Amino acid sequence: MSIVTSMSNAPAMPVLFLLGPTASGKTALATRLVDRFAVKGRVEIVSVDSALVYREMNIGTAKPDTQMLADYPHHMIDLIDPDEVYSAADYRRDTLTVLAGIVSRGAIPLMVGGTMMYVKTLLEGISVLPKADAAIRAALAAEAASVGWAAMHAKLAEVDELTAARLEANDSQRIQRALEVYLISGVPMSELHQSGMGQSSQAAHENFPYEAHLLALVPSDRAVLHQRIAERFDEMLRRGFVDEVRRLRKRFELTPELPSMRAVGYRQVWQFLEGEINEEQLRAQGIAATRQLAKRQLTWLRSMPNASTYDCLDRNLSSKIETHVEAILNASATN
């Protein structure tokens, strides 16, 4: 299915979105699509991954290696240093410029990744914090009555360390709101604020000037995805993930509060290097955090009513996706 948001009378150009949780095989599938449709015109890959914007963060982000990037160039990676901040609003601005360039060359943009906040911001523009949900608020209030607001503050710190750090443990109203925002959106309030999405309700929604075709990769067996996640994290450790973070700490003025070091895996390696956890805990907590990330990504994907869903574990996935994309391109060519 597609989302047409162009306000022009002219047919909107297609932009393909290949979205899925971590370890769902997005990159491999994207390169197959580039090869498959080369004869119809170039397909250019655009990253939709908030971790890939950082230079020198390669192992822990599963960034494509030098050879793959030479064979299959990616836009929107290696944009800033790890001691800098890059918001979803920044991503939207820069990606729209990239897309305009791709379209002007007569190529098809293929957006690939799993940072759903980037997708939402790109398609909808700068939005607002989610509205209050009476049922969620009531549940949080009931839980607080049982365990106390200090415990709720600790719970908030587990999912949104930055917001918890600026709130007192007895600030019940703000703690409740921050937890509510996270439960509704799956994104910490601090990230929404950093992306510029914590603006007033008067914030304008800007149009996405293309026809967006959303292809969502959702596993039919969550256990298989979890196994892939564990295997990939183990491979990162074998390739020198810990040494990578050591080098980053020496090269840049980093703190654990920076978005780069809050990325899944990097936070756990930081804690290991600080002596807060041991090697066994590093592995266990890194895998658990990645599984939680995948869970949030799947929640977002399932909330996208216009996405066409495919089983990322299907042996015939490539051919099914290729058939779908070919239909999109053929329809675009006839308009």
Side-chain angles (χ1 to χ4, degrees), residues 186-325:
V187 179
M189 180 184 279
S190 58
E191 290 188 20
L192 292 174
H193 282 303
Q194 287 175 355
S195 71
M197 302 186 91
Q199 299 181 8
S200 73
S201 59
Q202 301 302 313
H205 286 249
E206 304 169 58
N207 292 302
F208 183 64
Y210 306 100
E211 185 178 74
H213 296 268
L214 309 181
L215 310 178
L217 304 183
V218 176
S220 55
D221 186 343
R222 191 79 64 91
V224 176
L225 182 67
H226 287 176
Q227 182 61 32
R228 285 186 181 182
I229 287 171
E231 291 172 355
R232 191 167 79 161
F233 195 79
D234 285 338
E235 178 62 20
M236 289 176 178
L237 292 175
R238 283 192 293 269
R239 290 181 56 207
F241 189 9
V242 173
D243 287 337
E244 175 178 87
V245 180
R246 281 198 184 99
R247 289 193 299 271
L248 292 172
R249 282 160 54 113
K250 290 180 180 179
R251 180 169 171 76
F252 302 100
E253 294 186 9
L254 301 176
T255 69
E257 289 77 29
L258 280 168
S260 62
M261 293 299 106
R262 296 205 319 274
V264 167
Y266 286 88
R267 174 182 294 190
Q268 288 73 35
V269 173
W270 185 286
Q271 292 173 320
F272 171 73
L273 293 175
E274 290 293 306
E276 298 172 7
I277 59 177
N278 59 32
E279 189 171 355
E280 183 178 348
Q281 291 171 316
L282 162 60
R283 179 184 182 275
Q285 293 181 23
I287 291 172
T290 309
R291 288 179 177 178
Q292 285 298 313
L293 170 62
K295 181 179 180 181
R296 294 195 298 272
Q297 291 169 319
L298 289 169
T299 298
W300 274 78
L301 286 172
R302 292 192 176 101
S303 72
M304 293 180 174
N306 296 301
S308 297
T309 300
Y310 290 89
D311 179 9
C312 66
L313 307 179
D314 187 343
R315 293 182 179 180
N316 298 315
L317 174 64
S318 294
S319 63
K320 290 179 179 179
I321 293 287
E322 288 172 10
T323 299
H324 189 153
V325 170

